[in-house]
Amino acid sequence: AASSAVTPEYTIFDFGGAPLQIDTGDATSAELGVKFVASANGEVSGIRFFKATANTGTHVGSLWSASGTLLASATFSNETASGWQTVSFASPVSITAGTTYVAAYLAPNGHYSASQNGLASAVTNGPLQTIANGTSTNGVYAYSASSTFPTNSYNATNYWVDLLFQSP
């Protein structure tokens, strides 16, 4: 009989720990992201981010190509006051192994979480890996009132943005 097992979903930062700064105190609206690659073809079904209590407003999760093409976005709903928040895209997005993508979210009232130098080295979990900052600046952000492709970087900061990935 065929198995009805569900393909596991992978994330980059599911190994515990918490941001060094739960709330940066920056009240500026910002799109925050992480550059990543997968070691296998698969699908990104959604975005996650670590939320501080003061990180309020309507959050939008996005998946971007490395050149800034928006591949999918979704608005978070039913958020808890703090901790990990997750949103699923209307349809999963197929991604190609070895290709760089950016997982990001809009924090319209700032107060995002951060760990400076958290992406200085590559972080690997299962088939997912962040890009080491020395290879390509990582820990990307853009100050903007609306969702926009993040290209700025400061101290290889991990903004605790993540994704949900399945590989067949």
Side-chain angles (χ1 to χ4, degrees):
S3 169
S4 61
V6 174
T7 303
E9 283 192 308
Y10 293 95
T11 62
I12 300 169
F13 304 113
D14 70 353
F15 45 79
L20 293 176
Q21 291 180 282
I22 300 295
D23 180 349
T24 58
D26 182 350
T28 308
S29 179
E31 179 95 4
L32 306 149
V34 60
K35 293 179 186 176
F36 72 94
V37 295
S39 60
N41 293 336
E43 294 181 333
V44 175
S45 62
I47 300 292
R48 305 181 333 138
F49 76 96
F50 195 93
K51 178 182 175 182
T53 304
N55 185 344
T56 58
T58 302
H59 299 103
V60 177
S62 301
L63 180 67
W64 304 86
S65 73
S67 60
T69 300
L70 180 62
L71 303 175
S73 68
T75 302
F76 287 81
S77 61
N78 300 316
E79 292 183 19
T80 57
S82 61
W84 284 105
Q85 311 298 316
T86 303
V87 67
S88 295
F89 297 135
S91 300
V93 177
S94 294
I95 65 169
T96 304
T99 300
T100 300
Y101 297 91
V102 177
Y105 84 101
L106 176 68
N109 297 314
H111 293 279
Y112 46 87
S113 301
S115 294
Q116 287 192 23
N117 294 307
L119 298 172
S121 301
V123 176
T124 303
N125 191 32
L128 298 173
Q129 183 177 64
T130 65
I131 304 297
N133 194 65
T135 302
S136 176
T137 54
N138 206 348
V140 289
Y141 72 92
Y143 284 129
S144 176
S146 59
S147 188
T148 188
F149 184 60
T151 56
N152 300 312
S153 182
Y154 177 74
N155 281 355
T157 300
N158 179 356
Y159 294 109
W160 295 82
V161 186
D162 205 345
L163 61 139
L164 301 171
F165 175 77
Q166 289 184 330
S167 181

